[in-house]
Amino acid sequence: MKTKILATVMLFLTAMIWGFAFVAQVLGSDHVEPFTFNGIRFMLGAISLIPVYSIFEKEQELTSAQRKERHKHTLLPALCAGSCLFIAAALQQFGAALTRDPGKGGFITGLYTVLTPVFYFLIFRKKSGWNVWLACILATLGLYMLCIREGEGLSFGVGELLLLLGAFFWAGHILVVDHFIDHISPLRFSSWQFFVSGALGLIAAVIFENITWAGIWAAKWAILFCGILSVGVAYTFQVFAQKRYEPTYAAIIFSTESVFAAIGGVLWNLITPENLHVQQELRPIGYLGCLIIFAGIVISQIQFPRKQASPEQQN
């Protein structure tokens, strides 16, 4: 029970860090281009975990051959997850740079909450309870209310489209982690997937972007936040917590990322001068959306008894 509570706390902390990171991503896009930003932050996240897994995953109980075999089994999942992470993060960063709205970015990205159980069913043929599907509907409704703008509706431009495409890959990343999680070294897996994503980002940056040290230095705080906290800490929490949760339940808790994205935008605008503001406002309907999202989370966690088949039906 205590382990499940700890896993739940980790999932919420992950969502909170990811949500606040939307502000950092918008601010970072003012100084460096998307591939450069993601390449550096994921490399930073990978490096930050090397001493952690060196200390906590010594695996003394395993023989040298067993360690090599386990690390070999960790490498392929890291390549798959890292490639998926690279695409998802790139689409998100390009979308964030175009929309410059943390709340809207959080809303559209949060649609992976709905996509995850759909993919889970289509790929693995594993059904989720009716309460999970209801929670997905409530999460989507709440996210929409959180982002809707009076007189504008929810219009989709190029930035919004990129964020939406990214949501498909975020859902895919959750499923990849869930598929491999029981057979890998979690901390090494986290570090290695970040290294793959970071390497792909830097390669793309060298090919397609103009990298400047002045831009990197100007974006240093955004890169540090997204590298150490959003990548090194939050994604590692995700890996550990998903050992205790099905991906559909984890995705619903992750949907609060958009709530924290909106709150982060509001708080940032309150404490900084106007020239540093991001596009963000949280109106009464947005607060109602937050409540609906949390209602969905509570419903998703309730264990409803399944209807037992009668003896006649079993025969």
Side-chain angles (χ1 to χ4, degrees):
M1 186 63 181
K2 289 183 179 179
T3 304
K4 193 71 174 286
I5 292 173
L6 179 60
T8 303
V9 171
M10 283 185 171
L11 290 175
F12 273 109
L13 286 174
T14 298
M16 182 177 69
I17 294 170
W18 284 349
F20 289 164
F22 272 99
V23 177
Q25 288 178 256
V26 169
L27 297 172
S29 69
D30 291 335
H31 306 287
V32 292
E33 296 180 81
F35 287 132
T36 302
F37 185 86
N38 282 337
I40 296 173
R41 73 164 172 137
F42 278 110
M43 278 297 186
L44 186 59
I47 294 171
S48 70
L49 284 181
I50 292 176
V52 179
Y53 73 65
S54 298
I55 294 172
F56 293 102
E57 286 188 352
K58 292 182 178 179
E59 302 172 331
Q60 294 98 331
E61 73 280 3
L62 302 178
T63 65
S64 176
Q66 288 174 325
R67 283 197 295 271
K68 288 181 179 179
E69 186 67 17
R70 187 172 186 182
H71 296 168
K72 184 175 73 174
H73 286 306
T74 302
L75 181 59
L76 177 60
L79 288 171
C80 295
S83 299
C84 192
L85 196 57
F86 161 70
I87 299 173
L91 290 168
Q92 184 187 70
Q93 187 62 22
F94 275 102
L98 290 171
T99 60
R100 294 195 54 79
D101 187 330
K104 180 176 285 188
F107 160 65
I108 299 173
T109 299
L111 291 177
Y112 69 76
T113 304
V114 180
L115 295 172
T116 298
V118 173
F119 288 175
Y120 199 48
F121 171 72
L122 292 176
I123 297 173
F124 300 110
R125 297 297 177 184
K126 293 184 179 180
K127 295 183 179 180
S128 298
W130 64 268
N131 57 312
V132 173
W133 293 98
L134 175 59
C136 288
I137 294 172
L138 290 174
T140 304
L141 174 62
L143 289 166
Y144 177 80
M145 295 172 70
L146 183 65
C147 182
I148 197 71
R149 296 291 181 268
E150 187 175 359
E152 297 180 14
L154 188 66
S155 59
F156 269 68
V158 176
E160 288 82 1
L161 178 60
L162 292 174
L163 290 167
L164 179 60
L165 290 174
F168 283 83
F169 286 93
W170 290 122
H173 181 260
I174 289 177
L175 293 181
V176 169
V177 172
D178 179 74
H179 182 68
F180 291 113
I181 193 63
D182 292 327
H183 311 288
I184 59 177
S185 302
L187 288 172
R188 277 183 172 81
F189 167 77
S190 292
S191 182
W192 293 358
Q193 71 163 338
F194 302 153
F195 180 81
V196 171
S197 181
L200 291 173
L202 290 178
I203 291 171
V206 170
I207 296 173
F208 299 110
E209 297 177 350
N210 179 31
I211 304 173
T212 66
W213 288 112
I216 293 172
W217 181 253
K220 60 183 179 298
W221 296 117
I223 292 173
L224 285 171
F225 182 92
C226 291
I228 301 297
L229 290 178
S230 181
V231 175
V233 175
Y235 281 103
T236 303
F237 279 179
Q238 177 199 0
V239 171
F240 274 105
Q242 277 195 228
K243 276 180 170 284
R244 306 293 185 273
Y245 276 93
E246 286 187 4
T248 49
Y249 293 112
I252 292 169
I253 293 179
F254 287 153
S255 72
T256 59
E257 171 186 350
S258 59
V259 177
F260 291 116
I263 293 172
V266 171
L267 292 176
W268 179 259
N269 287 350
L270 285 174
I271 64 175
T272 59
E274 190 172 350
N275 64 310
L276 292 177
H277 284 187
V278 294
Q279 296 180 27
Q280 184 63 52
E281 61 174 337
L282 195 60
R283 300 181 297 109
I285 193 172
Y287 289 107
L288 179 58
C290 293
L291 291 176
I292 292 176
I293 291 171
F294 281 109
I297 292 169
V298 172
I299 290 173
S300 75
Q301 300 306 305
I302 298 175
Q303 297 294 324
F304 292 96
R306 294 180 180 272
K307 184 178 180 181
Q308 298 292 327
S310 63
E312 293 79 6
Q313 290 174 321
Q314 293 177 346
N315 295 330

